[in-house]
Amino acid sequence: MRLFLDKDGGDLAQLTASRLIPGNVPGWGRPELILVHGLDPSPACFRDLIAYLGDAFNIYLFRYPVDQSIAESAADLAAVLPSARYEFNICSVDMGALVTRACMADESFKGGVKRLLMIAPPNHGADLARLRFVLEFGDVFADMQTEGRELRQA
């Protein structure tokens, strides 16, 4: 039986478009671990951790758009968490810690968190976050260059 279901009752491990993605091959009887990324949404930020933990946990990656509000991301996280009758662990990084905290602080939170590890939460904000538009501009510029090359080649 899968613990992580989407809002429609579908198995998230089977859904590639889901926000909760298996980080390893789930095994029976292992504790569940949900990894929540920070400002960098790449799952590569957890590659070494997943390799280190190996088969000790059933690992899931929660993905959310970094340009939506923390409250919206927290609601998305709450929607995919298992019910309180199951225990699970959460490891969150950077802005993901704020998302996780907001999720758990909401009165509709069902519980079930056995352990919570928050790595480098920006409790008092982060100066680098103000420069996020520079990074996004770089991404848009790179996309424009790629599209321009494709148009010239066509």
Side-chain angles (χ1 to χ4, degrees), residues 62-141:
F62 173 71
R63 302 204 54 193
Y64 60 94
V66 294
D67 57 351
Q68 78 178 6
S69 73
I70 289 175
E72 289 175 301
S73 297
D76 289 346
L77 177 59
V80 297
L81 289 178
S83 66
R85 62 184 174 183
Y86 298 108
E87 286 190 342
F88 53 93
N89 305 288
I90 299 178
C91 174
S92 55
V93 177
D94 188 30
M95 189 170 82
L98 302 181
V99 170
T100 304
R101 181 186 306 145
C103 173
M104 293 176 67
D106 189 84
E107 60 190 38
S108 65
F109 179 66
K110 301 174 195 130
V113 175
K114 183 175 182 180
R115 290 189 186 98
L116 170 64
L117 174 61
M118 297 191 309
I119 301 172
N123 294 319
H124 301 288
D127 293 332
L128 185 59
R130 288 188 214 122
L131 300 177
R132 178 71 180 162
F133 73 93
V134 174
L135 299 173
E136 289 187 20
F137 176 75
D139 291 342
V140 170
F141 184 71

Side-chain angles (χ1 to χ4, degrees), residues 6 21 23 28 33 53 74-75 98-99 121 128 134 150-151:
D6 70 359
I21 302 162
W28 184 256
L33 174 63
L53 294 174
L98 302 181
V99 170
L128 185 59
V134 174
E150 290 172 357
L151 289 174

Side-chain angles (χ1 to χ4, degrees), residues 140-154:
V140 170
F141 184 71
D143 289 343
M144 288 172 34
Q145 284 185 323
T146 302
E147 288 173 11
R149 266 189 248 121
E150 290 172 357
L151 289 174
R152 284 192 298 268
Q153 291 174 354

